[in-house]
Short mmCIF file of all heavy atoms in Angstrom, two decimals:
data_model
loop_
_atom_site.label_atom_id
_atom_site.label_comp_id
_atom_site.label_asym_id
_atom_site.label_seq_id
_atom_site.Cartn_x
_atom_site.Cartn_y
_atom_site.Cartn_z
N THR A 8 -53.50 45.55 6.09
CA THR A 8 -54.34 44.45 6.88
C THR A 8 -54.47 43.22 6.23
O THR A 8 -54.23 42.11 6.85
CB THR A 8 -55.71 45.15 7.08
OG1 THR A 8 -55.58 46.40 7.62
CG2 THR A 8 -56.54 44.21 8.06
N ARG A 9 -54.75 43.20 4.93
CA ARG A 9 -54.87 41.93 4.19
C ARG A 9 -53.50 41.28 4.01
O ARG A 9 -53.48 40.00 4.22
CB ARG A 9 -55.42 42.18 2.85
CG ARG A 9 -55.83 40.94 2.00
CD ARG A 9 -56.38 41.35 0.68
NE ARG A 9 -55.40 42.14 -0.13
CZ ARG A 9 -55.64 42.83 -1.18
NH1 ARG A 9 -56.88 42.78 -1.67
NH2 ARG A 9 -54.77 43.56 -1.81
N GLY A 10 -52.47 41.87 3.82
CA GLY A 10 -51.18 41.38 3.74
C GLY A 10 -50.62 40.77 5.09
O GLY A 10 -50.15 39.59 5.03
N ARG A 11 -50.89 41.44 6.16
CA ARG A 11 -50.50 40.89 7.42
C ARG A 11 -51.19 39.63 7.81
O ARG A 11 -50.73 38.71 8.26
CB ARG A 11 -50.68 41.94 8.52
CG ARG A 11 -50.04 41.78 9.80
CD ARG A 11 -50.09 42.88 10.69
NE ARG A 11 -50.33 44.16 9.98
CZ ARG A 11 -51.30 45.08 10.20
NH1 ARG A 11 -52.01 44.98 11.06
NH2 ARG A 11 -51.39 46.16 9.40
N TYR A 12 -52.53 39.75 7.62
CA TYR A 12 -53.40 38.54 7.89
C TYR A 12 -53.10 37.30 7.07
O TYR A 12 -52.91 36.25 7.58
CB TYR A 12 -54.86 38.95 7.76
CG TYR A 12 -55.86 37.92 8.38
CD1 TYR A 12 -55.85 37.61 9.78
CD2 TYR A 12 -56.80 37.17 7.68
CE1 TYR A 12 -56.64 36.70 10.31
CE2 TYR A 12 -57.58 36.28 8.13
CZ TYR A 12 -57.58 36.14 9.43
OH TYR A 12 -58.48 35.16 10.00
N GLY A 13 -52.82 37.69 5.75
CA GLY A 13 -52.48 36.51 4.79
C GLY A 13 -51.17 35.88 5.25
O GLY A 13 -51.01 34.72 5.22
N TRP A 14 -50.19 36.66 5.52
CA TRP A 14 -48.84 36.12 6.02
C TRP A 14 -48.90 35.43 7.26
O TRP A 14 -48.20 34.48 7.43
CB TRP A 14 -47.83 37.16 6.03
CG TRP A 14 -47.20 37.63 4.54
CD1 TRP A 14 -47.57 38.75 3.87
CD2 TRP A 14 -46.42 36.82 3.77
NE1 TRP A 14 -46.87 38.58 2.61
CE2 TRP A 14 -46.18 37.50 2.61
CE3 TRP A 14 -46.00 35.47 4.02
CZ2 TRP A 14 -45.45 36.88 1.65
CZ3 TRP A 14 -45.04 35.00 3.01
CH2 TRP A 14 -44.87 35.67 1.79
N THR A 15 -49.69 35.90 8.22
CA THR A 15 -49.78 35.25 9.44
C THR A 15 -50.41 33.86 9.37
O THR A 15 -49.86 32.90 9.82
CB THR A 15 -50.73 36.05 10.40
OG1 THR A 15 -50.18 37.33 10.55
CG2 THR A 15 -50.93 35.31 11.73
N LEU A 16 -51.56 33.74 8.51
CA LEU A 16 -52.14 32.42 8.20
C LEU A 16 -51.18 31.55 7.38
O LEU A 16 -51.13 30.35 7.69
CB LEU A 16 -53.39 32.57 7.49
CG LEU A 16 -54.48 33.27 8.29
CD1 LEU A 16 -55.78 33.26 7.40
CD2 LEU A 16 -54.89 32.48 9.55
N ALA A 17 -50.36 32.12 6.55
CA ALA A 17 -49.47 31.40 5.68
C ALA A 17 -48.31 30.74 6.61
O ALA A 17 -47.92 29.58 6.51
CB ALA A 17 -48.81 32.12 4.56
N ILE A 18 -47.82 31.59 7.53
CA ILE A 18 -46.81 31.12 8.39
C ILE A 18 -47.31 30.08 9.28
O ILE A 18 -46.71 29.03 9.57
CB ILE A 18 -46.22 32.34 9.24
CG1 ILE A 18 -45.37 33.13 8.21
CG2 ILE A 18 -45.37 31.75 10.37
CD1 ILE A 18 -44.97 34.59 8.84
N LEU A 19 -48.50 30.17 9.93
CA LEU A 19 -49.13 29.16 10.78
C LEU A 19 -49.32 27.83 9.86
O LEU A 19 -48.85 26.72 10.47
CB LEU A 19 -50.53 29.60 11.15
CG LEU A 19 -50.62 30.54 12.30
CD1 LEU A 19 -52.06 30.99 12.50
CD2 LEU A 19 -50.04 29.84 13.63
N MET A 20 -49.63 27.90 8.68
CA MET A 20 -49.87 26.72 7.85
C MET A 20 -48.46 26.04 7.58
O MET A 20 -48.39 24.85 7.64
CB MET A 20 -50.51 27.06 6.58
CG MET A 20 -50.78 25.81 5.68
SD MET A 20 -52.04 24.74 6.43
CE MET A 20 -51.19 23.20 6.33
N LEU A 21 -47.44 26.87 7.32
CA LEU A 21 -46.12 26.35 7.12
C LEU A 21 -45.54 25.59 8.47
O LEU A 21 -45.05 24.55 8.34
CB LEU A 21 -45.21 27.38 6.69
CG LEU A 21 -45.33 27.85 5.26
CD1 LEU A 21 -44.53 29.14 5.06
CD2 LEU A 21 -44.91 26.79 4.33
N VAL A 22 -45.85 26.26 9.57
CA VAL A 22 -45.41 25.59 10.86
C VAL A 22 -46.01 24.31 10.96
O VAL A 22 -45.40 23.24 11.36
CB VAL A 22 -45.60 26.61 11.99
CG1 VAL A 22 -45.52 25.91 13.33
CG2 VAL A 22 -44.70 27.82 11.91
N VAL A 23 -47.37 24.19 10.75
CA VAL A 23 -48.09 23.01 10.98
C VAL A 23 -47.68 21.96 9.95
O VAL A 23 -47.31 20.82 10.41
CB VAL A 23 -49.63 23.31 10.89
CG1 VAL A 23 -50.38 21.96 10.75
CG2 VAL A 23 -50.08 23.99 12.07
N TYR A 24 -47.51 22.30 8.68
CA TYR A 24 -47.25 21.31 7.69
C TYR A 24 -45.74 20.84 7.89
O TYR A 24 -45.50 19.69 7.91
CB TYR A 24 -47.40 21.96 6.40
CG TYR A 24 -46.87 21.02 5.24
CD1 TYR A 24 -47.66 20.00 4.91
CD2 TYR A 24 -45.65 21.16 4.57
CE1 TYR A 24 -47.23 19.09 3.80
CE2 TYR A 24 -45.23 20.29 3.60
CZ TYR A 24 -46.10 19.29 3.24
OH TYR A 24 -45.69 18.45 2.20
N TYR A 25 -44.85 21.79 8.05
CA TYR A 25 -43.43 21.26 8.20
C TYR A 25 -43.19 20.64 9.58
O TYR A 25 -42.30 19.80 9.72
CB TYR A 25 -42.40 22.53 8.00
CG TYR A 25 -42.13 22.75 6.42
CD1 TYR A 25 -42.77 23.83 5.92
CD2 TYR A 25 -41.67 21.82 5.71
CE1 TYR A 25 -42.77 24.14 4.57
CE2 TYR A 25 -41.55 22.00 4.36
CZ TYR A 25 -42.08 23.22 3.74
OH TYR A 25 -41.96 23.34 2.41
N GLY A 26 -44.08 20.97 10.62
CA GLY A 26 -43.93 20.26 11.82
C GLY A 26 -44.31 18.73 11.71
O GLY A 26 -43.66 17.84 12.18
N TYR A 27 -45.33 18.52 10.82
CA TYR A 27 -45.80 17.14 10.55
C TYR A 27 -44.63 16.43 9.70
O TYR A 27 -44.27 15.31 10.02
CB TYR A 27 -47.07 17.28 9.86
CG TYR A 27 -47.73 15.93 9.47
CD1 TYR A 27 -47.96 14.91 10.52
CD2 TYR A 27 -47.74 15.44 8.23
CE1 TYR A 27 -48.50 13.66 10.25
CE2 TYR A 27 -48.35 14.13 7.93
CZ TYR A 27 -48.63 13.33 8.91
OH TYR A 27 -49.09 12.06 8.80
N ILE A 28 -44.20 17.14 8.80
CA ILE A 28 -43.07 16.50 7.98
C ILE A 28 -41.92 16.25 8.82
O ILE A 28 -41.28 15.26 8.74
CB ILE A 28 -42.78 17.43 6.72
CG1 ILE A 28 -43.95 17.62 5.81
CG2 ILE A 28 -41.43 16.91 6.00
CD1 ILE A 28 -44.39 16.27 5.24
N GLY A 29 -41.56 17.16 9.75
CA GLY A 29 -40.43 16.93 10.63
C GLY A 29 -40.68 15.68 11.51
O GLY A 29 -39.78 15.02 11.87
N LEU A 30 -41.87 15.53 11.97
CA LEU A 30 -42.14 14.32 12.75
C LEU A 30 -42.00 13.11 11.95
O LEU A 30 -41.45 12.08 12.42
CB LEU A 30 -43.71 14.35 13.28
CG LEU A 30 -44.03 15.05 14.45
CD1 LEU A 30 -45.49 15.08 14.78
CD2 LEU A 30 -43.19 14.32 15.61
N ILE A 31 -42.35 13.20 10.72
CA ILE A 31 -42.13 11.97 9.75
C ILE A 31 -40.73 11.76 9.63
O ILE A 31 -40.21 10.59 9.68
CB ILE A 31 -42.94 12.25 8.41
CG1 ILE A 31 -44.37 12.31 8.61
CG2 ILE A 31 -42.36 11.20 7.45
CD1 ILE A 31 -45.15 12.73 7.34
N ALA A 32 -39.91 12.74 9.49
CA ALA A 32 -38.38 12.67 9.22
C ALA A 32 -37.66 12.18 10.56
O ALA A 32 -36.83 11.36 10.38
CB ALA A 32 -37.81 13.90 8.67
N PHE A 33 -38.15 12.73 11.66
CA PHE A 33 -37.26 12.44 12.90
C PHE A 33 -37.90 11.68 13.92
O PHE A 33 -37.18 11.32 14.96
CB PHE A 33 -36.89 13.92 13.42
CG PHE A 33 -36.07 14.70 12.46
CD1 PHE A 33 -36.63 15.88 11.90
CD2 PHE A 33 -34.82 14.30 12.00
CE1 PHE A 33 -35.94 16.60 10.94
CE2 PHE A 33 -34.01 15.03 11.12
CZ PHE A 33 -34.61 16.21 10.71
N ASP A 34 -39.20 11.43 13.94
CA ASP A 34 -39.74 10.65 14.88
C ASP A 34 -40.78 9.62 14.39
O ASP A 34 -41.93 9.66 14.74
CB ASP A 34 -40.36 11.54 16.08
CG ASP A 34 -40.47 10.85 17.40
OD1 ASP A 34 -40.22 9.53 17.48
OD2 ASP A 34 -41.02 11.42 18.24
N LYS A 35 -40.27 8.74 13.55
CA LYS A 35 -41.14 7.81 12.88
C LYS A 35 -41.85 6.84 13.91
O LYS A 35 -42.89 6.44 13.67
CB LYS A 35 -40.40 6.99 11.83
CG LYS A 35 -39.98 7.78 10.64
CD LYS A 35 -39.16 6.96 9.64
CE LYS A 35 -38.70 7.91 8.56
NZ LYS A 35 -37.75 7.34 7.78
N GLU A 36 -41.07 6.56 14.92
CA GLU A 36 -41.57 5.57 15.94
C GLU A 36 -42.79 6.15 16.63
O GLU A 36 -43.73 5.38 16.89
CB GLU A 36 -40.47 5.27 17.05
CG GLU A 36 -39.25 4.55 16.47
CD GLU A 36 -38.29 5.61 15.82
OE1 GLU A 36 -38.32 6.74 15.94
OE2 GLU A 36 -37.51 5.02 14.89
N PHE A 37 -42.86 7.48 16.88
CA PHE A 37 -44.04 8.09 17.59
C PHE A 37 -45.18 7.96 16.64
O PHE A 37 -46.33 7.57 16.99
CB PHE A 37 -43.67 9.55 17.86
CG PHE A 37 -44.97 10.32 18.24
CD1 PHE A 37 -45.48 10.04 19.64
CD2 PHE A 37 -45.55 11.19 17.41
CE1 PHE A 37 -46.65 10.77 19.90
CE2 PHE A 37 -46.71 11.87 17.93
CZ PHE A 37 -47.23 11.63 19.19
N LEU A 38 -45.10 8.30 15.26
CA LEU A 38 -46.12 8.27 14.39
C LEU A 38 -46.69 6.85 14.16
O LEU A 38 -47.72 6.71 13.66
CB LEU A 38 -45.72 8.95 13.05
CG LEU A 38 -45.57 10.51 13.24
CD1 LEU A 38 -45.08 11.06 11.84
CD2 LEU A 38 -46.74 11.16 13.68
N ALA A 39 -45.71 5.83 14.30
CA ALA A 39 -46.10 4.50 13.98
C ALA A 39 -46.76 3.79 15.11
O ALA A 39 -47.15 2.61 14.97
CB ALA A 39 -44.84 3.71 13.63
N LYS A 40 -46.91 4.46 16.34
CA LYS A 40 -47.64 3.80 17.45
C LYS A 40 -48.97 3.52 17.05
O LYS A 40 -49.74 4.47 16.66
CB LYS A 40 -47.53 4.63 18.63
CG LYS A 40 -46.12 4.70 19.20
CD LYS A 40 -46.21 5.62 20.50
CE LYS A 40 -44.68 5.73 21.02
NZ LYS A 40 -44.52 6.63 22.26
N PRO A 41 -49.47 2.24 17.33
CA PRO A 41 -50.92 2.07 17.07
C PRO A 41 -51.87 2.68 18.05
O PRO A 41 -51.43 2.81 19.23
CB PRO A 41 -51.08 0.50 17.12
CG PRO A 41 -49.91 0.11 17.82
CD PRO A 41 -48.83 1.09 17.67
N MET A 42 -53.02 3.01 17.67
CA MET A 42 -54.01 3.52 18.46
C MET A 42 -55.01 2.47 18.90
O MET A 42 -55.65 1.89 18.09
CB MET A 42 -54.83 4.73 17.75
CG MET A 42 -53.99 5.91 17.49
SD MET A 42 -54.92 7.17 16.54
CE MET A 42 -56.36 7.45 17.62
N GLY A 43 -54.98 2.09 20.19
CA GLY A 43 -55.86 1.04 20.61
C GLY A 43 -55.41 -0.23 20.00
O GLY A 43 -54.15 -0.52 19.83
N ALA A 44 -56.30 -1.10 19.74
CA ALA A 44 -56.05 -2.52 19.30
C ALA A 44 -56.15 -2.67 17.81
O ALA A 44 -55.79 -3.71 17.28
CB ALA A 44 -57.05 -3.56 19.97
N GLY A 45 -56.49 -1.49 17.12
CA GLY A 45 -56.63 -1.58 15.71
C GLY A 45 -55.25 -1.36 15.01
O GLY A 45 -54.18 -1.33 15.54
N VAL A 46 -55.37 -1.10 13.71
CA VAL A 46 -54.22 -0.98 12.84
C VAL A 46 -53.90 0.44 12.58
O VAL A 46 -52.97 0.83 11.91
CB VAL A 46 -54.28 -1.65 11.62
CG1 VAL A 46 -54.38 -3.16 11.79
CG2 VAL A 46 -55.44 -1.19 10.77
N THR A 47 -54.77 1.42 12.92
CA THR A 47 -54.57 2.82 12.87
C THR A 47 -53.54 3.41 13.68
O THR A 47 -53.60 3.09 14.81
CB THR A 47 -55.91 3.68 13.10
OG1 THR A 47 -56.85 3.09 12.26
CG2 THR A 47 -55.75 5.11 12.79
N THR A 48 -52.52 4.06 13.16
CA THR A 48 -51.57 4.60 14.00
C THR A 48 -51.69 6.11 14.31
O THR A 48 -52.67 6.67 13.75
CB THR A 48 -50.14 4.59 13.21
OG1 THR A 48 -50.25 5.44 11.93
CG2 THR A 48 -49.83 3.19 12.86
N ILE A 49 -50.98 6.77 15.19
CA ILE A 49 -51.07 8.04 15.55
C ILE A 49 -50.89 8.96 14.37
O ILE A 49 -51.60 10.10 14.30
CB ILE A 49 -50.14 8.38 16.79
CG1 ILE A 49 -50.58 7.60 17.97
CG2 ILE A 49 -50.07 9.81 17.02
CD1 ILE A 49 -49.58 7.74 19.15
N GLY A 50 -50.07 8.55 13.48
CA GLY A 50 -49.75 9.46 12.34
C GLY A 50 -51.04 9.79 11.39
O GLY A 50 -51.16 10.87 10.84
N ILE A 51 -51.88 8.88 11.43
CA ILE A 51 -53.14 9.06 10.61
C ILE A 51 -54.01 10.27 11.10
O ILE A 51 -54.32 11.18 10.22
CB ILE A 51 -54.03 7.83 10.44
CG1 ILE A 51 -53.27 6.74 9.75
CG2 ILE A 51 -55.37 7.96 9.77
CD1 ILE A 51 -52.78 6.96 8.36
N PRO A 52 -54.48 10.35 12.31
CA PRO A 52 -55.27 11.43 12.78
C PRO A 52 -54.51 12.77 12.81
O PRO A 52 -55.05 13.81 12.45
CB PRO A 52 -55.70 11.18 14.16
CG PRO A 52 -54.90 9.92 14.50
CD PRO A 52 -54.37 9.31 13.40
N ILE A 53 -53.10 12.75 12.98
CA ILE A 53 -52.26 13.92 12.95
C ILE A 53 -52.31 14.46 11.53
O ILE A 53 -52.40 15.67 11.19
CB ILE A 53 -50.98 13.69 13.47
CG1 ILE A 53 -50.97 13.33 15.01
CG2 ILE A 53 -50.03 14.93 13.22
CD1 ILE A 53 -49.68 13.05 15.61
N GLY A 54 -52.07 13.57 10.57
CA GLY A 54 -52.17 14.02 9.09
C GLY A 54 -53.49 14.58 8.71
O GLY A 54 -53.60 15.57 8.07
N MET A 55 -54.62 13.95 9.29
CA MET A 55 -55.96 14.46 8.91
C MET A 55 -56.11 15.84 9.61
O MET A 55 -56.78 16.64 9.05
CB MET A 55 -56.95 13.46 9.48
CG MET A 55 -57.04 12.12 8.53
SD MET A 55 -58.23 10.97 9.29
CE MET A 55 -59.76 11.69 8.93
N ALA A 56 -55.49 16.05 10.78
CA ALA A 56 -55.69 17.31 11.43
C ALA A 56 -54.94 18.46 10.60
O ALA A 56 -55.33 19.62 10.67
CB ALA A 56 -55.09 17.20 12.82
N VAL A 57 -53.83 17.99 9.94
CA VAL A 57 -53.21 18.98 9.07
C VAL A 57 -54.02 19.46 8.03
O VAL A 57 -54.08 20.60 7.69
CB VAL A 57 -51.86 18.41 8.60
CG1 VAL A 57 -51.22 19.45 7.48
CG2 VAL A 57 -50.88 18.19 9.76
N ILE A 58 -54.72 18.54 7.41
CA ILE A 58 -55.70 18.79 6.35
C ILE A 58 -56.94 19.60 6.84
O ILE A 58 -57.24 20.68 6.24
CB ILE A 58 -56.22 17.56 5.67
CG1 ILE A 58 -55.08 16.73 4.90
CG2 ILE A 58 -57.36 17.76 4.71
CD1 ILE A 58 -55.30 15.34 4.51
N VAL A 59 -57.45 19.21 7.96
CA VAL A 59 -58.57 20.01 8.57
C VAL A 59 -58.15 21.52 8.86
O VAL A 59 -58.86 22.40 8.71
CB VAL A 59 -59.12 19.23 9.75
CG1 VAL A 59 -60.04 20.21 10.50
CG2 VAL A 59 -59.81 17.95 9.31
N PHE A 60 -56.94 21.49 9.38
CA PHE A 60 -56.33 22.91 9.81
C PHE A 60 -56.24 23.73 8.64
O PHE A 60 -56.57 24.98 8.68
CB PHE A 60 -54.98 22.71 10.56
CG PHE A 60 -54.34 24.04 10.83
CD1 PHE A 60 -54.74 24.66 11.99
CD2 PHE A 60 -53.25 24.60 10.15
CE1 PHE A 60 -54.25 25.94 12.32
CE2 PHE A 60 -52.80 25.79 10.44
CZ PHE A 60 -53.23 26.53 11.60
N SER A 61 -55.85 23.27 7.44
CA SER A 61 -55.72 23.95 6.25
C SER A 61 -57.02 24.52 5.78
O SER A 61 -57.32 25.59 5.22
CB SER A 61 -54.96 23.25 5.15
OG SER A 61 -55.67 22.15 4.71
N ILE A 62 -58.01 23.57 5.91
CA ILE A 62 -59.45 23.98 5.45
C ILE A 62 -59.84 25.11 6.38
O ILE A 62 -60.58 26.05 5.97
CB ILE A 62 -60.33 22.75 5.42
CG1 ILE A 62 -59.84 21.75 4.28
CG2 ILE A 62 -61.79 23.11 5.28
CD1 ILE A 62 -60.54 20.42 4.47
N VAL A 63 -59.70 24.87 7.72
CA VAL A 63 -60.23 25.86 8.65
C VAL A 63 -59.56 27.25 8.38
O VAL A 63 -60.23 28.28 8.48
CB VAL A 63 -59.95 25.36 10.08
CG1 VAL A 63 -60.10 26.51 11.12
CG2 VAL A 63 -60.86 24.28 10.38
N ILE A 64 -58.30 27.38 8.27
CA ILE A 64 -57.62 28.73 8.01
C ILE A 64 -58.09 29.31 6.69
O ILE A 64 -58.13 30.57 6.61
CB ILE A 64 -56.11 28.63 8.22
CG1 ILE A 64 -55.33 27.86 7.18
CG2 ILE A 64 -55.72 28.32 9.64
CD1 ILE A 64 -53.86 28.11 7.22
N THR A 65 -58.28 28.39 5.79
CA THR A 65 -58.88 28.96 4.42
C THR A 65 -60.23 29.62 4.70
O THR A 65 -60.60 30.70 4.25
CB THR A 65 -58.98 27.89 3.36
OG1 THR A 65 -57.68 27.37 3.17
CG2 THR A 65 -59.50 28.45 2.14
N GLY A 66 -61.03 28.93 5.48
CA GLY A 66 -62.38 29.48 5.80
C GLY A 66 -62.31 30.75 6.58
O GLY A 66 -63.11 31.66 6.35
N LEU A 67 -61.34 30.78 7.55
CA LEU A 67 -61.21 32.05 8.28
C LEU A 67 -60.82 33.18 7.37
O LEU A 67 -61.32 34.31 7.51
CB LEU A 67 -59.98 31.82 9.32
CG LEU A 67 -60.40 30.99 10.56
CD1 LEU A 67 -59.07 30.73 11.41
CD2 LEU A 67 -61.50 31.54 11.26
N TYR A 68 -59.91 33.01 6.47
CA TYR A 68 -59.49 33.99 5.54
C TYR A 68 -60.71 34.48 4.60
O TYR A 68 -60.90 35.65 4.43
CB TYR A 68 -58.33 33.62 4.62
CG TYR A 68 -57.87 34.67 3.75
CD1 TYR A 68 -56.97 35.64 4.24
CD2 TYR A 68 -58.37 34.84 2.46
CE1 TYR A 68 -56.67 36.70 3.41
CE2 TYR A 68 -58.06 35.90 1.69
CZ TYR A 68 -57.17 36.80 2.01
OH TYR A 68 -56.73 37.93 1.29
N VAL A 69 -61.36 33.50 4.12
CA VAL A 69 -62.55 33.80 3.34
C VAL A 69 -63.64 34.55 4.04
O VAL A 69 -64.15 35.62 3.54
CB VAL A 69 -63.11 32.55 2.71
CG1 VAL A 69 -64.54 32.76 1.98
CG2 VAL A 69 -62.19 31.97 1.68
N ARG A 70 -63.96 34.19 5.29
CA ARG A 70 -64.86 34.88 6.12
C ARG A 70 -64.35 36.33 6.34
O ARG A 70 -65.31 37.32 6.13
CB ARG A 70 -65.05 34.21 7.36
CG ARG A 70 -66.24 34.79 8.26
CD ARG A 70 -66.48 34.01 9.48
NE ARG A 70 -65.31 34.11 10.30
CZ ARG A 70 -65.27 33.65 11.59
NH1 ARG A 70 -66.38 32.96 12.00
NH2 ARG A 70 -64.19 33.78 12.23
N ARG A 71 -63.19 36.53 6.74
CA ARG A 71 -62.66 37.91 6.90
C ARG A 71 -62.72 38.69 5.61
O ARG A 71 -63.02 39.89 5.63
CB ARG A 71 -61.29 37.87 7.47
CG ARG A 71 -60.79 39.24 7.95
CD ARG A 71 -59.59 39.21 8.87
NE ARG A 71 -59.20 40.53 9.24
CZ ARG A 71 -58.12 40.74 9.99
NH1 ARG A 71 -57.45 39.76 10.42
NH2 ARG A 71 -57.74 42.02 10.18
N ALA A 72 -62.29 38.09 4.45
CA ALA A 72 -62.29 38.77 3.16
C ALA A 72 -63.69 39.19 2.84
O ALA A 72 -63.92 40.29 2.38
CB ALA A 72 -61.67 37.86 2.10
#
Side-chain angles (χ1 to χ4, degrees):
T8 305
R9 187 178 58 193
R11 192 172 338 128
Y12 191 63
W14 278 109
T15 301
L16 293 180
I18 290 168
L19 281 173
M20 186 65 230
L21 288 170
V22 167
V23 169
Y24 178 75
Y25 283 110
Y27 182 63
I28 297 301
L30 272 176
I31 292 170
F33 299 111
D34 201 359
K35 291 178 185 163
E36 296 80 24
F37 171 72
L38 293 175
K40 289 181 185 174
M42 294 177 56
V46 296
T47 303
T48 63
I49 292 176
I51 299 296
I53 293 175
M55 291 175 68
V57 170
I58 294 168
V59 169
F60 181 77
S61 67
I62 293 168
V63 166
I64 65 170
T65 300
L67 289 173
Y68 183 84
V69 168
R70 184 175 67 176
R71 186 166 180 182

